[in-house]
Structures are given as structure tokens and as C-alpha cells.
Amino acid sequence: MARPRPLPPPNPPTGYGKLPIGRWFMFAGIVGLLVLVAGATLTTGTLARLSEARHEVIDVVDPAALATLDLSVALAAQEGAIRSFGLTSDRQYLSAYRQARADEDRAVDRVAGLVPGHRLEAIRRASAEWRAQYAEPVLGGAALTRENAKVNSIRFGEVRAALNIQRTHLESLHASRSQQLEQRAGSFTFALGLLAAVLVGVLILLGVIVRHVVLRPVAELTSQVRAVAQGDFDRSLKVDRPAELSELSGHIDAMRRRILAQWRASEEQAQELRRSNGELEQFAYVASHDLQEPLRKVASFTQMLEQRYGDQLDDKAKQYIAFAVDGAKRMQLLINDLLDFSRVGRVGAEKVPLDSALPLADALHNLAVRVEESGADVSHGPLPEVVGNRTQLTQLFQNLISNAIKFRADEPPTVRIEARESGDDMWEFSCADNGIGIEEKYADKVFLIFQRLHTRDRYPGTGIGLALCRKIVEYHGGRIWLDSQEREGHGTTVRWTLPGRSHG
């Protein structure tokens, strides 16, 4: 059949409705980008102001209030330590006083680093006057009198007043900064809401564009393609927009027309192929019946000739008769093997879930005489359930065990059948023997039809056994190979895979 000439591509689309998809989305992308930039600028500004207000409250005002509280505790601890020392003269209160002085210095430094100002200086002056007029004299050994107690009350009252002023200032600062934080948080929320609303609007616009430019034309093209797929091969395919889908529909329609022309032209070839397959089936029938009958007659009458006229024939004639009988039998065996090879996957090949031990038992039953005569030891481990054809799997086991017995070494043959899971619900089988082995360079050749590694005089056969095994395994969806780790003289291990029960 002549190769069809390619159809010319459809004309490039033109017009507003046939703008390319990329241009539609470029316009939408530009609008969306401008909106995002404006929204991001607004949101970033409000977020920066919100962060600034949050920093004022959390990182400045609140830590300053805590440091002021620590300062108040340190001053109160000093006053208590001095009073206790003046009453008891116990020097352990001096250590408490010095520790409280150190705490005061640290607290003052923290407050000065956060909110420096005149209020902190007032606290410093008041505490210095209290120490100069009360604490130091008591530490110097002055007795506690009413005058000292009055000085302590006045001066430490000034310290408390300065601390109260500082706390009031921090509370006022905290209130103002908190109000500012709430206002900026509201502005940020409003900006986010506005940005979200704009984004929703952009998404709606994009949805309208996608529906108008992409989804509706795609649905139209899909319905046309579905109609063609359901058998309406004469239906043309065409959409108007966008440009890419319009061009694509034109190409698909051109491809549809080419395929339709080729399909109609191939109907004649299909009829010819069916006729040829029928002739091959007829040939197989002739090979299995008409060809084997003359061969049986040749072998039978040749043997009768030897029996009736054997005393009149010399040794050379008897040798010729033996050659003829042997040739006829080999031809019969070859025809049977070829028929078995051709029937795989074609005649009576239904695959069902079954226990793989059953075809193995059938094979051992068929080989019982050969196993007994050769003294072979055939064993197997636990075998799984697989999906396959019992007759063909019996033939698979029978050919592998028969080869192991045929190609044995000096010692009695030992054959071991094993199975293990190999993933994807597949089972890997192995048939290992202690025979003469196969060189690694012949690992692929042995599975080809009519390929022999030994002469017929030494090991009889047609050279189809392992090729038949390969065809059976591949028909079942597996693969078969020779274990490359085995060497000649150390036996042979053939491995193959079969599908598990869930494949059924």
C-alpha cells in the first residue's frame, strides 16, 4: 500500500477570538502583577508600622516596667537589710545589702538602656541621699534612734515617690503604645482584607478567562473526539478558539483523515492475513495427521522388511534400514515438538489460579520411568499458587526436569525446585541440578529454537525444549533465564517468573 501524502497544516488562526492562550494569560498576569505589587506595598508598609509598635510595647516598655520592678525590690531589700543590721549588728545582713546594691545597679542600667530620662535620675538622687543620710551612718555604727528612723522614713519615702512616678510614666507609655499597636493592627487587617478582596477579584477574572478561552473550547473538542472514539469516524474536528486549540483541532482532524484512509486500505490486507492464517492452520493439521501417517508407515514397513528378509540382508543393508527407521522417528518427534511450540497461547490455553505443585506432580508422573531408570532425586520446597495453564506448566516442569536428567554428570542426577516472592505479585521459580552445566556465553543461545550445544549422538533431542519453555513462560507474563553465577561442570540453575494469584 502506498504511503499516504501528508495533508497540509491548517491555516493559522486570526481574529480576536483566536488570540493565543499565552497572550490571554499575559494580559491577566500583568493586571494581577500590578495588583499584587500595590497590595504588597500597602501591606508591607502597614506591617512595618505594626512591627514598630509591637517592638515598642514588647521590647521596650514591658522590659522597662519589669526592670523598674526589680529596682524597687532591690531598694526595699537594702532598706530591710540596713534596719536589720542596725537592730542586730549581724554581719550577714551586710552581704544581703551588698547583693541588693548590685541588683540595683543592674536594674538601673537596664532601665537607662530602655527608657532613659529625668525620672530615672530622680530615683538615683533619692536613693543616694537615703544611703548618705541613713544607710551609711548605720553601717558606720550609729545607733538606731527616733531621729534616724525619721530620716529613714523621709528619705526612703522620697525613693518610693520617685519609683511611683517612674511606674506611672511606664503605665501611661504602655497604654499609649498599646493603643497605637491596636490601631496599626487594625490597619494591617484592613490592608490584608483589601488585598484578599482584590486577589479574589483577580482570580474571578482568571476563572472567566480560563472558562471562556480554555475550558469551553476544550469541552467542545473533547465531545468531538469522544464521538470519533465511539465510532463516528467521519465527524470532523474543529474549534474556533484559542489559537492553539484551533490549530490542534486542525492537526487532529488531518490525522483522523489519514488514519481513516489507512484503516480502510488495511481491511484488504487484514482479509489476506486471515486467509494466510487459515492456510497455516490447515498446514498444521496436515503436519499433525497427513505427514505423520506416512512416517509411521515408513518406519513400520521398514522394520517389517528387516524382520521378513533379515536373513537375506547383509550388515550394510541392515544398517541402512536402521538409519531409515531412526530418521522417521526423529521426524515424528520434530513434528510433534513443532506442533507443541505453535500451540502455546493458541489452543486450550486458558489461565486460571492453581497450585503450582499440581503441574509439577503431573510432570513427575509423566517422567516416572526416566526418573527411576536414572536414579534421579527430584525434590521441591513449598510452591505457591499462580495464575496459569495447567497443561502448559506441566510441559514446562517436564522439559526442565527432563533436561536435568538428560544432561547429567557421572553421579546420579539431583534436581531441586524452589520458589520465592520477587515483588509485584510475581513468583520466581528455580530448577537447579548437578549436571554438566552450561557455559555463561551460551546463556541466551540455549533458549532459541533448534539451538544445540551437543551432537545428537551424545544427547538426543530436537533442540526445541528450552525454546518451548521460554514461550510458555512469556505467554504467562514472566521471563526465564539461566543463572549467570553457575559455571560448566557445577550444574545448571534455570530461573523463571510466574504471576501470583491476584493477577487472576
Side-chain angles (χ1 to χ4, degrees), residues 400 404 414-418 420 428-438 443 446-447 466 480-487 490-496:
L400 293 175
T414 300
V415 185
R416 178 69 177 176
I417 308 291
E418 296 282 357
R420 65 182 180 184
E428 180 183 305
F429 290 78
S430 65
C431 177
D433 62 52
N434 61 341
I436 61 175
I438 300 175
V446 294
F447 293 104
L466 287 179
I480 188 169
W481 70 96
L482 199 68
D483 197 323
S484 60
Q485 296 182 353
E486 304 296 335
R487 299 190 303 273
H490 292 76
T492 301
T493 299
V494 178
R495 300 186 183 276
W496 69 97

Side-chain angles (χ1 to χ4, degrees), residues 1 265-274:
M1 181 181 64
S266 65
E267 288 182 349
E268 183 178 348
Q269 292 184 343
Q271 292 177 358
E272 180 66 21
L273 182 60
R274 285 192 292 269

Side-chain angles (χ1 to χ4, degrees), residues 107-118:
V108 168
D109 292 338
R110 286 181 60 195
V111 175
L114 293 170
V115 285
H118 65 280

Side-chain angles (χ1 to χ4, degrees), residues 81-82 85-86 91 93-94 97 131 134-142:
I82 291 299
F85 178 76
R91 302 192 66 82
Y93 295 109
L94 294 179
Y97 174 74
R131 279 189 291 271
Y134 176 73
E136 292 178 0
V138 173
L139 291 175

Side-chain angles (χ1 to χ4, degrees), residues 88-312:
T88 62
S89 298
D90 190 347
R91 302 192 66 82
Q92 66 176 347
Y93 295 109
L94 294 179
S95 299
Y97 174 74
R98 295 189 186 97
Q99 180 63 41
R101 282 293 309 276
D103 293 342
E104 177 190 356
D105 293 337
R106 285 193 294 270
V108 168
D109 292 338
R110 286 181 60 195
V111 175
L114 293 170
V115 285
H118 65 280
R119 297 174 182 84
L120 187 60
E121 293 299 326
I123 296 174
R124 286 176 174 173
R125 287 194 302 270
S127 63
E129 291 178 0
W130 171 78
R131 279 189 291 271
Q133 297 181 20
Y134 176 73
E136 292 178 0
V138 173
L139 291 175
L144 290 180
T145 61
R146 290 184 176 180
E147 289 77 7
N148 287 340
K150 185 176 181 180
V151 169
N152 178 50
S153 176
I154 294 172
R155 296 306 176 196
F156 204 79
E158 294 175 352
V159 172
R160 289 193 181 96
L163 285 172
N164 289 333
I165 294 173
Q166 176 71 5
R167 283 195 290 267
T168 302
H169 169 68
L170 290 176
E171 289 174 358
S172 175
L173 190 62
H174 182 274
S176 63
R177 293 294 186 271
S178 296
Q179 184 179 5
Q180 187 180 39
L181 178 62
E182 292 178 359
Q183 293 174 350
R184 293 182 179 180
S187 300
F188 179 69
T189 303
F190 174 76
L192 284 181
L194 181 61
L195 180 61
V198 173
L199 287 177
V200 169
V202 172
L203 290 177
I204 292 175
L205 176 62
L206 287 175
V208 171
I209 294 176
V210 169
R211 179 177 175 81
H212 177 74
V213 177
V214 179
L215 296 182
R216 187 175 296 174
V218 167
E220 183 180 353
L221 181 59
T222 300
S223 64
Q224 296 174 4
V225 172
R226 184 181 299 112
V228 174
Q230 292 174 351
D232 187 6
F233 302 119
D234 293 322
R235 178 167 182 173
S236 61
L237 305 175
K238 182 181 179 181
V239 293
D240 296 329
R241 63 176 186 275
E244 290 86 352
L245 283 182
S246 179
E247 182 179 358
L248 178 62
S249 65
H251 287 306
I252 294 177
D253 190 65
M255 181 176 63
R256 176 193 63 82
R257 285 180 278 141
R258 286 197 299 268
I259 293 175
L260 185 60
Q262 293 178 358
W263 172 64
R264 288 173 176 171
S266 65
E267 288 182 349
E268 183 178 348
Q269 292 184 343
Q271 292 177 358
E272 180 66 21
L273 182 60
R274 285 192 292 269
R275 186 186 62 79
S276 176
N277 286 339
E279 292 177 352
L280 290 177
E281 293 287 344
Q282 184 65 26
F283 172 77
Y285 176 80
V286 171
S288 63
H289 294 85
D290 298 348
L291 289 181
Q292 292 194 49
E293 182 61 26
L295 288 174
R296 282 194 295 268
K297 287 184 178 180
V298 169
S300 177
F301 280 103
T302 304
Q303 290 175 332
M304 291 175 61
L305 180 65
E306 181 183 14
Q307 293 174 1
R308 179 169 296 185
Y309 302 103
D311 55 349
Q312 302 178 23

Side-chain angles (χ1 to χ4, degrees), residues 35-57:
V35 170
L36 285 177
V37 170
T41 302
L42 177 63
T43 305
T44 302
T46 56
L47 180 61
R49 291 191 294 273
L50 176 63
S51 299
E52 181 181 356
R54 179 180 177 276
H55 170 74
E56 288 289 334
V57 173

Side-chain angles (χ1 to χ4, degrees), residues 343-390:
R343 287 193 184 102
V344 173
R346 192 168 51 85
V347 179
E350 296 79 7
K351 291 180 287 188
V352 296
L354 60 97
D355 187 352
S356 57
L358 297 178
L360 176 59
D362 295 341
L364 292 176
H365 177 74
N366 297 338
L367 296 171
V369 176
R370 294 192 60 185
V371 170
E372 183 178 357
E373 290 177 350
S374 62
D377 178 19
V378 182
S379 61
H380 65 86
L383 298 180
E385 286 191 356
V386 297
V387 176
N389 178 266
R390 180 168 179 173

